[in-house]
Amino acid sequence: MENWLSAHRLQLIFLNQTFWINSAIIVFGTLMMYWLLRTLIRFVSNRIAHYSEQRNHRVTTLLVEILRTTSQPLLLIFSLLIALRFVDLPASWSVTIAHGWFLAFILQMTMWIDCGIRLWLQSLLRDPLHVRNPVTTVILGILLRVVVWVMMMLAILSNMGINITALVASLGVGGIAIALAIQTVLSDVFASLAIGFDKPFEHGDFIVFGDVAGSIEHIGLKTTRLRSLSGEQIVCSNTILLQQTIHNYKRMQQRRIVFKFGINYATPAEKVRQIGSMVKEIIQDVPDTRFDRAHFLAFDESQLTFEVVYFVLSAEYNKYMDIQQEINLQLMAQLEQKQIRFAFPMRRVEFTGGVLPRINLSDASNESSPQTAQR
């Protein structure tokens, strides 16, 4: 009997003229709205693309790419929900349609944000002016995308009437337990993110920390690898590396050089007075240098000491060595021309309180002659 009633009701529905009219309105309205929405999105994206080509704005370029990735199935669902507004529906359907609007909207927004994050990170990696760590960029992208999709799922569950408080609390407790279990790995991961954001060094930089010196070859998720001057690869934990005092020599714009030399104590005072100006002329004639000072510093044990300070206007170490070599050679030539001798270690011994024994050199030579003959 119940089956007969259900079949009779279905027969009445299919024979009802209003049902077919409403169905035709929904189908025709869905197709029209789908065409209008696609045309509107294409028009807006083309206008923004034209504006972006004229102004060369990165944000507008990203916006165009995001609009062009709009989901076509979701666009069709939006069109259907709009078409349902044109017909009279039972009051019980209003809640379902409202949920459908929210689900379609939140899903499309999440897809747009996810696409925007991916395109933004790709543009950062392709930027020729700022070389970024790809590992840090990938980690940042994964974290942002996970947060976006988790927020979307929680919003959907909340909209469906599910209490998400207990779920969020359980996720927090589980996250704390996992973090405690892998805290060493996480510390290195966050250290890698800190290196990527703060940029104390980048790929190719020459750094020195502790007794380690080398060029950065790779900044990874857990470790950073350097190539030392002697050729071997040095692997260091990111966390330990950030705890060190790091000297980054690649970012040095100029070198401050201090060197000393000594001359003989027998040099007259007048010639000593000329040495400072002579050194100044030598350094000023060498390219890529800036003279600071040259002074007669001290009376040391076996020399008159001069201290010279100048700047090399380049961070390249080999260039500094070439400049220092040229200064040394010219300094030797100028001192030789002025007959000023470099000092060398000397020690004078005075004998007091007695008489030195006399040495007869002829006797010493006679004593050594038989030995020489025997040999």
Coordinates of all heavy atoms in Angstrom, one line a residue, residues 254-260 279-280 282-284 286-294 307-314 317 319-328:
Q254 N 84.5 47.1 2.3 CA 85.9 47.5 2.2 C 86.7 46.9 3.4 O 86.1 46.4 4.4 CB 86.0 49.1 2.3 CG 85.5 49.7 3.5 CD 85.5 51.2 3.6 OE1 85.8 51.8 2.5 NE2 85.3 51.8 4.7
R255 N 88.0 46.9 3.2 CA 88.8 46.3 4.3 C 89.7 47.4 4.9 O 90.3 48.2 4.2 CB 89.8 45.2 3.7 CG 89.1 43.9 3.2 CD 90.1 43.0 2.6 NE 89.4 41.8 2.2 CZ 89.4 40.7 2.9 NH1 89.9 40.6 4.1 NH2 88.8 39.6 2.4
R256 N 89.8 47.3 6.3 CA 90.7 48.2 7.0 C 91.9 47.4 7.3 O 91.9 46.4 8.0 CB 90.0 48.7 8.3 CG 90.9 49.7 9.1 CD 90.2 50.2 10.3 NE 90.9 51.2 11.0 CZ 91.8 50.9 12.0 NH1 92.0 49.7 12.4 NH2 92.4 51.9 12.6
I257 N 93.0 47.9 6.7 CA 94.3 47.2 6.9 C 95.2 48.0 7.8 O 95.4 49.2 7.7 CB 95.0 47.0 5.5 CG1 94.0 46.5 4.5 CG2 96.2 46.2 5.6 CD1 93.4 45.1 4.8
V258 N 95.8 47.3 8.7 CA 96.8 47.8 9.6 C 98.1 46.9 9.5 O 98.0 45.7 9.7 CB 96.3 47.8 11.1 CG1 97.4 48.4 12.0 CG2 95.0 48.6 11.2
F259 N 99.2 47.6 9.2 CA 100.4 46.8 9.1 C 101.6 47.7 9.7 O 101.5 48.9 9.8 CB 100.8 46.4 7.7 CG 101.3 47.4 6.8 CD1 102.6 47.7 6.6 CD2 100.4 48.2 6.1 CE1 103.1 48.7 5.8 CE2 100.8 49.2 5.2 CZ 102.2 49.4 5.1
K260 N 102.6 47.0 10.2 CA 103.8 47.7 10.8 C 105.1 47.3 10.1 O 105.2 46.2 9.5 CB 103.8 47.3 12.3 CG 102.6 47.7 13.1 CD 102.8 47.3 14.6 CE 101.5 47.7 15.4 NZ 101.6 47.3 16.8
V279 N 105.2 57.1 2.8 CA 104.2 56.0 2.8 C 102.9 56.5 2.3 O 102.2 55.8 1.6 CB 104.1 55.4 4.2 CG1 103.0 54.4 4.3 CG2 105.4 54.8 4.7
K280 N 102.5 57.7 2.7 CA 101.2 58.3 2.2 C 101.2 58.4 0.7 O 100.2 58.0 0.1 CB 101.0 59.6 2.9 CG 99.7 60.3 2.5 CD 99.5 61.7 3.2 CE 98.2 62.4 2.7 NZ 98.1 63.7 3.4
I282 N 102.9 56.6 -1.4 CA 102.9 55.3 -2.0 C 101.5 54.7 -2.0 O 101.0 54.2 -3.1 CB 103.9 54.4 -1.2 CG1 105.3 54.8 -1.4 CG2 103.7 52.9 -1.6 CD1 106.3 54.0 -0.5
I283 N 100.8 54.8 -0.9 CA 99.4 54.3 -0.8 C 98.5 55.0 -1.7 O 97.6 54.4 -2.4 CB 99.0 54.2 0.6 CG1 99.8 53.3 1.4 CG2 97.5 53.8 0.7 CD1 99.5 53.3 2.9
Q284 N 98.6 56.3 -1.8 CA 97.7 57.1 -2.6 C 97.9 56.8 -4.1 O 96.9 57.0 -4.9 CB 97.8 58.6 -2.3 CG 97.3 59.0 -1.0 CD 97.5 60.5 -0.7 OE1 98.3 61.1 -1.3 NE2 96.7 61.0 0.3
V286 N 98.5 53.9 -5.4 CA 97.9 52.6 -5.7 C 96.4 52.6 -5.8 O 95.7 53.2 -5.0 CB 98.3 51.6 -4.5 CG1 97.7 50.2 -4.8 CG2 99.8 51.5 -4.4
P287 N 95.9 52.1 -6.9 CA 94.4 52.2 -7.1 C 93.6 51.4 -6.1 O 94.1 50.5 -5.5 CB 94.2 51.6 -8.6 CG 95.6 51.7 -9.2 CD 96.6 51.5 -8.1
D288 N 92.3 51.8 -5.9 CA 91.4 51.2 -5.0 C 91.9 51.2 -3.6 O 91.6 50.2 -2.8 CB 91.1 49.7 -5.5 CG 90.5 49.6 -6.8 OD1 89.7 50.5 -7.2 OD2 90.8 48.7 -7.6
T289 N 92.5 52.2 -3.2 CA 92.9 52.4 -1.8 C 92.5 53.8 -1.2 O 92.4 54.7 -2.0 CB 94.4 52.2 -1.6 OG1 95.1 53.2 -2.3 CG2 94.9 50.8 -2.0
R290 N 92.4 53.9 0.1 CA 92.2 55.2 0.7 C 93.1 55.2 1.9 O 93.0 54.4 2.9 CB 90.7 55.3 1.2 CG 90.4 56.7 1.7 CD 89.0 57.0 2.0 NE 88.6 56.3 3.2 CZ 87.8 55.3 3.3 NH1 87.3 54.7 2.2 NH2 87.4 54.7 4.5
F291 N 94.0 56.2 1.9 CA 95.0 56.3 3.0 C 94.3 56.9 4.2 O 93.5 57.8 4.2 CB 96.1 57.3 2.5 CG 97.1 57.5 3.6 CD1 98.1 56.6 3.9 CD2 97.1 58.7 4.3 CE1 99.0 56.9 4.9 CE2 98.0 59.0 5.3 CZ 99.0 58.1 5.6
D292 N 94.7 56.4 5.4 CA 94.2 56.9 6.7 C 95.3 57.6 7.5 O 95.2 58.7 7.8 CB 93.6 55.7 7.5 CG 92.9 56.2 8.7 OD1 92.5 57.4 8.8 OD2 92.7 55.4 9.7
R293 N 96.4 56.8 7.8 CA 97.4 57.4 8.6 C 98.7 56.6 8.5 O 98.6 55.4 8.2 CB 97.0 57.6 10.1 CG 96.7 56.3 10.8 CD 96.3 56.6 12.2 NE 95.9 55.4 12.9 CZ 96.8 54.6 13.5 NH1 98.1 54.8 13.5 NH2 96.4 53.5 14.2
A294 N 99.8 57.2 8.9 CA 101.1 56.5 9.0 C 101.9 57.3 10.0 O 102.2 58.5 9.9 CB 101.9 56.5 7.6
E307 N 103.5 52.4 12.2 CA 102.2 51.8 12.0 C 101.5 52.5 10.9 O 101.4 53.7 10.9 CB 101.4 51.8 13.3 CG 100.1 51.1 13.2 CD 99.3 51.1 14.5 OE1 98.8 52.2 14.9 OE2 99.2 50.0 15.1
V308 N 100.9 51.8 10.0 CA 100.3 52.3 8.8 C 98.8 51.8 8.8 O 98.6 50.5 9.0 CB 101.0 52.0 7.5 CG1 100.3 52.6 6.3 CG2 102.4 52.4 7.6
V309 N 97.9 52.6 8.5 CA 96.5 52.2 8.3 C 95.9 52.8 7.0 O 96.1 53.9 6.7 CB 95.6 52.8 9.5 CG1 94.2 52.3 9.3 CG2 96.2 52.3 10.8
Y310 N 95.3 51.9 6.2 CA 94.7 52.3 5.0 C 93.5 51.4 4.7 O 93.3 50.3 5.4 CB 95.7 52.3 3.8 CG 96.1 50.9 3.4 CD1 95.5 50.3 2.3 CD2 97.1 50.2 4.0 CE1 95.8 49.1 1.9 CE2 97.5 49.0 3.6 CZ 96.9 48.4 2.5 OH 97.2 47.1 2.1
F311 N 92.7 51.7 3.7 CA 91.5 51.0 3.4 C 91.6 50.5 2.0 O 92.0 51.2 1.1 CB 90.2 51.8 3.5 CG 89.9 52.2 4.9 CD1 90.4 53.4 5.5 CD2 89.0 51.4 5.7 CE1 90.0 53.7 6.8 CE2 88.7 51.7 7.0 CZ 89.2 52.9 7.6
V312 N 91.2 49.2 1.8 CA 91.1 48.6 0.4 C 89.6 48.7 0.0 O 88.8 48.2 0.7 CB 91.6 47.2 0.4 CG1 91.4 46.6 -1.0 CG2 93.1 47.1 0.8
L313 N 89.3 49.4 -1.1 CA 88.0 49.6 -1.4 C 87.4 48.4 -2.2 O 86.7 48.6 -3.2 CB 87.9 50.9 -2.3 CG 88.5 52.2 -1.6 CD1 88.4 53.4 -2.6 CD2 87.9 52.4 -0.3
S314 N 87.6 47.3 -1.7 CA 87.1 46.0 -2.3 C 87.1 45.0 -1.2 O 87.9 45.0 -0.3 CB 87.9 45.6 -3.5 OG 87.5 44.3 -4.0
Y317 N 89.6 39.2 -1.4 CA 90.9 39.0 -0.6 C 92.1 39.0 -1.5 O 93.1 39.5 -1.1 CB 90.8 37.6 0.1 CG 91.9 37.4 1.0 CD1 92.0 38.0 2.3 CD2 93.0 36.5 0.6 CE1 93.1 37.7 3.1 CE2 94.1 36.3 1.4 CZ 94.1 36.9 2.7 OH 95.2 36.6 3.5
K319 N 92.6 40.7 -4.2 CA 92.9 42.1 -4.6 C 93.6 42.8 -3.4 O 94.5 43.5 -3.6 CB 91.6 42.8 -4.9 CG 91.8 44.2 -5.5 CD 90.6 44.8 -6.1 CE 90.9 46.1 -6.8 NZ 91.7 45.9 -8.0
Y320 N 93.2 42.5 -2.2 CA 93.9 43.1 -1.0 C 95.3 42.6 -1.0 O 96.2 43.4 -0.8 CB 93.1 42.7 0.2 CG 94.0 42.5 1.4 CD1 94.8 43.6 1.9 CD2 94.2 41.3 2.1 CE1 95.6 43.5 3.0 CE2 95.0 41.2 3.2 CZ 95.7 42.3 3.6 OH 96.6 42.1 4.7
M321 N 95.6 41.3 -1.3 CA 96.9 40.8 -1.2 C 97.8 41.4 -2.4 O 99.0 41.7 -2.2 CB 96.9 39.3 -1.4 CG 96.4 38.6 -0.2 SD 97.3 39.0 1.4 CE 98.9 38.4 1.0
D322 N 97.2 41.7 -3.5 CA 97.9 42.3 -4.6 C 98.3 43.7 -4.2 O 99.4 44.2 -4.5 CB 97.1 42.3 -5.9 CG 96.9 40.9 -6.5 OD1 97.7 40.1 -6.2 OD2 95.9 40.7 -7.2
I323 N 97.4 44.4 -3.6 CA 97.6 45.8 -3.2 C 98.7 45.9 -2.1 O 99.6 46.7 -2.2 CB 96.3 46.5 -2.7 CG1 95.4 46.7 -3.9 CG2 96.6 47.8 -2.0 CD1 94.0 47.2 -3.5
Q324 N 98.6 45.0 -1.1 CA 99.6 45.0 -0.1 C 101.0 44.6 -0.6 O 102.0 45.2 -0.2 CB 99.2 43.9 1.0 CG 100.1 43.9 2.2 CD 100.1 45.3 3.0 OE1 99.0 45.7 3.4 NE2 101.3 45.8 3.2
Q325 N 101.0 43.7 -1.6 CA 102.3 43.4 -2.2 C 102.9 44.6 -2.9 O 104.1 44.8 -2.8 CB 102.1 42.2 -3.2 CG 103.4 41.8 -3.9 CD 103.1 40.7 -4.9 OE1 103.4 39.5 -4.6 NE2 102.5 40.9 -6.0
E326 N 102.1 45.3 -3.6 CA 102.6 46.5 -4.4 C 103.1 47.5 -3.4 O 104.2 48.2 -3.6 CB 101.5 47.0 -5.2 CG 101.9 48.3 -6.1 CD 103.0 47.9 -7.1 OE1 103.1 46.8 -7.5 OE2 103.7 48.9 -7.5
I327 N 102.4 47.7 -2.3 CA 102.8 48.7 -1.3 C 104.2 48.3 -0.7 O 105.1 49.1 -0.5 CB 101.8 48.9 -0.2 CG1 100.5 49.6 -0.8 CG2 102.3 49.7 1.0 CD1 99.3 49.6 0.2
N328 N 104.3 47.0 -0.4 CA 105.6 46.5 0.2 C 106.7 46.7 -0.7 O 107.8 47.1 -0.3 CB 105.4 45.1 0.6 CG 104.5 44.8 1.7 OD1 104.2 45.8 2.5 ND2 104.0 43.6 1.9

